[in-house]
Amino acid sequence: MNAPRTGAEIRQAFLGFYQAREHLHLPSDSLIPSHDPTLLFTGAGMNQFKNEFLGKGRDYKRATTVQKCIRVPDLENVGRTPRHHTFFEMLGNFSFGDYFKKETIAWEWEFFTQTLGWAADRFYVTVYRDDEEAFQLWHDGIGLPESQIYRFGEKENFWPSS
């Protein structure tokens, strides 16, 4: 089988990859969050799982989605950089207390390098500046050279390590 190349093929490959790892495929939530009055727009794939992350939600351990998102906090940068968009789909795999960094990093590496067939030597990753665990998983576990792992703080990498 040829590696997926179109957006639709990559989307289906991602969902299939995680469904094979016991993730429930759930539909995208609305761009206006259906059950969260604290948000004006859905800006991240995890928004619909707020209650699950707080231990109050639905009773399952893993999920995968293709979430429609709209971003407005950095609206002034749209069109000025290749990474700022207002509307996009975010592919997501989620664990609600079932697994964490070790499994996620290994699975993502497998998905990109084996399922999609992307060249391993072309990958560069970011970790939160003080996150030694993630650094070691990428460096020692996956085998990425230190020169391909960047440590960023909150300004550049807003996912804190805790």
Side-chain angles (χ1 to χ4, degrees):
M1 178 178 136
N2 292 332
R5 295 287 176 226
T6 68
E9 290 170 343
I10 291 170
R11 185 184 304 112
Q12 283 310 116
F14 182 87
L15 292 171
F17 183 89
Y18 281 99
Q19 285 175 295
R21 284 149 188 84
E22 301 178 14
H23 288 67
L24 178 63
H25 173 214
L26 295 171
S28 176
D29 199 12
S30 170
L31 282 175
I32 299 171
S34 60
H35 298 23
D36 190 346
T38 68
L39 295 173
L40 196 55
F41 300 109
T42 298
M46 65 182 284
N47 287 159
Q48 70 172 297
F49 300 115
K50 188 174 178 180
N51 284 333
E52 284 74 19
F53 286 117
L54 294 172
K56 304 177 197 174
R58 299 163 279 196
D59 188 25
Y60 47 81
K61 295 283 186 186
R62 301 177 179 186
T64 187
T65 64
V66 178
Q67 177 61 54
K68 295 174 185 78
C69 296
I70 188 166
R71 292 291 267 277
V72 292
D74 51 3
L75 194 57
E76 67 279 357
N77 291 318
V78 172
R80 294 184 184 178
T81 75
R83 66 183 185 98
H84 287 88
H85 307 285
T86 52
F87 176 74
F88 57 94
E89 291 181 326
M90 187 177 285
L91 303 177
N93 59 291
F94 304 93
S95 167
F96 311 107
D98 190 40
Y99 63 88
F100 198 46
K101 294 176 194 178
K102 182 178 181 182
E103 295 84 359
T104 299
I105 289 171
W107 284 339
E108 291 300 327
W109 187 253
E110 179 184 350
F111 175 72
F112 284 111
T113 60
Q114 294 177 28
T115 303
L116 297 183
W118 294 0
D121 63 344
R122 299 193 62 190
F123 278 85
Y124 291 80
V125 301
T126 65
V127 298
Y128 192 72
R129 69 175 169 242
D130 302 325
D131 190 345
E132 285 303 319
E133 178 187 9
F135 179 88
Q136 294 302 322
L137 289 167
W138 281 113
H139 186 262
D140 298 336
I142 298 298
L144 271 184
E146 193 170 338
S147 61
Q148 289 176 239
I149 305 170
Y150 290 87
R151 294 176 182 266
F152 289 145
E154 289 184 26
K155 183 178 180 202
E156 301 88 2
N157 184 354
F158 57 87
W159 300 109
S161 61
S162 57

